[in-house]
Amino acid sequence: MGEHISFSNAEGQVLRLFLERPRRLISRPQMQESLGGVAGESFDRAMDVRISRLRTKLGEDPKNPSLIKTIYGAGYIFLGDVHWE
């Protein structure tokens, strides 16, 4: 069996959003709409922290992430393969 990783509720919401839209760009406004939150610097910073924590828990290299890519000025894209059973 695989390793068990615990996620906070906020991290789990972001991960679920990525898993529902694999290999598709998700803009910050789309994230805000899907996850709730008020636009602005505090939402952006909170999202940056959630993405950073997700990357760490998923074993990503912070200098060269391969699973969750930042597309500067546009948003994020989850590059993992997702198979629902």
Side-chain angles (χ1 to χ4, degrees):
M1 271 279 179
E3 179 182 347
H4 178 80
I5 301 172
S6 295
F7 297 99
S8 70
N9 184 51
E11 294 162 352
Q13 289 176 344
V14 175
L15 183 57
R16 171 177 266 158
L17 183 63
F18 284 137
L19 294 175
E20 289 172 346
R21 298 176 176 115
R23 301 188 180 276
R24 292 181 13 214
L25 179 70
I26 304 171
S27 69
R28 283 185 181 262
Q30 288 172 320
M31 292 180 118
Q32 178 188 349
E33 183 179 317
S34 295
L35 302 173
V38 178
E41 226 174 279
S42 62
F43 176 81
D44 288 346
R45 184 65 192 134
M47 191 54 53
D48 291 342
V49 169
R50 290 176 191 172
I51 299 292
S52 176
R53 289 181 180 161
L54 268 178
R55 285 178 171 149
T56 298
K57 289 181 177 184
L58 295 173
E60 293 262 84
D61 175 358
K63 296 195 187 283
N64 188 24
S66 60
L67 196 55
I68 301 171
K69 288 281 193 181
T70 301
I71 309 300
Y72 291 98
Y76 298 95
I77 188 167
F78 183 78
L79 297 174
D81 291 323
V82 178
H83 303 281
W84 297 99
E85 294 184 22

